[in-house]
Amino acid sequence: MERIVADVKGKRRYNSSGRQEQARRNRDAILQAAERQLNECGYAGTTVAAVAGEAGVSVETVYKAFGGKAGLVRALYERNLAGAGTVSAYERSDAMRERESEPAAVLREWGLLTAEVGSMVTPIRLLMRAAAVNDQEMAALLKDIESDRLKRMRHHARYLKDRGYLRDGISAAEAADILWVCSSAELYELLVLKRGWSLPRFARYITSYMAASLLPVTVQDKPGGRPAQPEETT
């Protein structure tokens, strides 16, 4: 009797790791297929059925995981927003703020992160912008991500204000607007995609612009703290 009970209990044990790993692989395959098709065909020309076919999964699997084409775009944006590192750009940014005591160094790190994340999210943000003209779901999604981005810049601006890093006369609200412009898809599009700037040059420009706009002149001129000016050639 005890043997039977033990066998029954043993059969009830379930290891879900295999299923979870398969779900992760399916999700990665779906996003990879969606990104390629969106880049090649645009939002209107991409279908859930085509994405599912390329990823080797059912249409139902795509809908269950992402809720449709707009959900795929949101998932791609959120994945790319994390940046290229194993730790998300947001987490790296917040950790850096805690260890750095020099405002110029903080802005330099933000410049690097802005360039890194911009290279990954700008294509999908530009796709949203184009699709939003005729698609209500995309218009709503674009509004949401722009609102979230502004909240994040306000978060950074409050940090600068609370630490006493901002130049006299610069409010937290104005600082947030400046940071919002620096992290915009439009600025990255103009300088990197249209003018062919390299990512290091773009990062240096963003750093210099933030420092000149936000920090006291004495901080900008502090030895080792002044950001390098962007070179004239790419």
Side-chain angles (χ1 to χ4, degrees), residues 2-158:
E2 291 178 357
R3 174 71 179 275
I4 294 174
V5 171
D7 288 345
V8 170
K9 288 183 177 179
K11 290 178 181 178
R12 286 177 180 172
R13 294 192 185 96
Y14 176 72
N15 187 346
S16 63
S17 60
R19 178 172 291 184
Q20 291 173 350
E21 177 59 22
Q22 183 59 52
R24 185 193 65 77
R25 287 197 297 267
N26 285 346
R27 180 181 178 86
D28 289 346
I30 292 167
L31 288 178
Q32 183 177 354
E35 187 167 42
R36 191 194 68 77
Q37 294 204 24
L38 287 165
N39 287 337
E40 290 190 3
C41 307
Y43 186 75
T46 298
T47 66
V48 172
V51 170
E54 181 175 333
V57 301
S58 68
V59 171
E60 182 183 11
T61 297
V62 178
Y63 277 107
K64 280 185 176 180
F66 300 99
K69 192 161 63 170
L72 284 169
V73 174
R74 178 184 285 276
L76 282 170
Y77 172 78
E78 291 175 349
R79 184 195 68 178
N80 293 351
L81 190 63
T86 55
V87 178
S88 76
Y90 277 180
E91 291 177 282
R92 282 181 280 150
S93 175
D94 287 345
M96 176 275 298
R97 293 189 334 176
E98 294 304 314
R99 69 174 183 266
E100 288 289 356
S101 59
E102 293 292 338
V106 172
L107 297 189
R108 185 164 55 249
E109 291 295 326
W110 281 351
L112 291 170
L113 284 172
T114 297
E116 175 192 322
V117 173
S119 70
M120 301 182 71
V121 301
T122 298
I124 199 72
R125 283 164 66 178
L126 295 179
L127 179 140
M128 289 182 205
R129 189 180 71 186
V133 176
N134 298 310
D135 189 282
Q136 291 185 348
E137 280 189 295
M138 281 294 97
L141 176 56
L142 186 61
K143 183 178 180 180
D144 284 347
I145 69 165
E146 287 300 293
S147 176
D148 288 343
R149 186 167 65 86
L150 182 56
K151 288 178 183 177
R152 181 68 179 177
M153 296 308 109
R154 286 171 174 165
H155 172 68
H156 287 334
R158 284 194 299 271

Side-chain angles (χ1 to χ4, degrees), residues 107 110 149-162 164-183 206 209-215:
L107 297 189
W110 281 351
R149 186 167 65 86
L150 182 56
K151 288 178 183 177
R152 181 68 179 177
M153 296 308 109
R154 286 171 174 165
H155 172 68
H156 287 334
R158 284 194 299 271
Y159 159 82
L160 295 174
K161 186 72 173 178
D162 291 344
Y165 291 161
L166 294 179
R167 186 171 71 245
D168 288 345
I170 302 294
S171 66
E174 185 176 354
D177 287 345
I178 291 169
L179 296 173
W180 186 71
V181 169
C182 289
S183 63
I206 291 295
Y209 179 78
M210 289 189 296
S213 301
L214 301 174
L215 302 183

